Amino acid sequence: MTDSEIRYFMNEAILEGRKALPDCLPNPPVGCVIVSDKVIISRGYTNEPGKHHAEAMALDKIENTNAENSTVFVTLEPCSFHGRTPSCAKTIIEKGIKNVFVGILDPHPKNQGKGIQMLKDANVNVKVGVLQEQIYNELNNYLIRQE
């Protein structure tokens, strides 16, 4: 996949994340797209607290056979822990995804790189920092609106 294609798909994930507001609050607005053969086959965004995160929403819409040959683009690091919802990193691994592009690391104290490490430990190819500055700006705008 070319750099411009990677940026395009992450930009689509950013747009998807905007759909999360205001229902996702106090959680951050996260977006996800799943791509197969350079075509978006599923989209998701963070739902209200206790409901699907972006990755789970997108993965629930596709069959496992499609997931194994696809790539996930997500604006925020997949969570590593089971809270009100299952671990997104674990779900990605269970679905057989082999490539994940992440915008930024999750600053949540329970995560902070642990989701990335889980994926890597399961032999998932992970690239972090795609459109990082743009995603930070999106999140800063979200935080400013909350003040």
Side-chain angles (χ1 to χ4, degrees):
M1 206 173 282
T2 67
D3 283 346
S4 63
E5 290 167 332
I6 292 166
R7 286 191 306 273
Y8 171 79
F9 291 124
M10 186 59 77
N11 204 22
E12 288 294 309
I14 291 169
L15 295 173
E16 198 66 23
R18 290 177 185 166
K19 296 177 186 177
L21 292 168
D23 296 337
C24 68
L25 302 176
N27 295 331
V30 177
C32 176
V33 297
I34 301 176
V35 176
S36 181
D37 296 322
K38 300 184 182 183
V39 174
I40 296 173
I41 60 170
S42 190
R43 298 171 179 267
Y45 54 87
T46 301
N47 289 245
E48 61 194 63
K51 303 241 172 140
H52 278 325
H53 287 181
E55 305 93 308
M57 180 183 188
L59 286 165
D60 271 1
K61 296 177 184 177
I62 60 174
E63 296 182 24
N64 282 352
T65 53
N66 289 336
E68 292 172 0
N69 300 312
S70 60
T71 300
V72 169
F73 290 82
V74 62
T75 58
L76 185 70
E77 172 187 2
C79 58
S80 61
F81 59 94
H82 191 292
R84 288 180 281 193
T85 62
S87 161
C88 291
K90 183 178 178 186
T91 302
I92 288 169
I93 293 164
E94 289 171 350
K95 291 282 188 170
I97 301 287
K98 295 297 179 203
N99 298 293
V100 177
F101 289 89
V102 177
I104 62 173
L105 291 177
D106 185 350
H108 191 289
K110 285 185 169 180
N111 216 29
Q112 294 181 330
K114 292 181 182 111
I116 299 301
Q117 192 59 53
M118 279 179 70
L119 294 170
K120 288 181 176 180
D121 288 347
N123 296 315
V124 176
N125 300 312
V126 182
K127 178 170 182 184
V128 180
V130 179
L131 296 184
Q132 180 173 312
E133 186 174 330
Q134 185 176 341
I135 293 167
Y136 277 127
N137 288 337
E138 289 276 327
L139 290 176
N140 283 334
N141 288 336
Y142 147 76
L143 293 172
I144 290 168
R145 288 193 301 263
Q146 300 314 303
E147 293 177 350

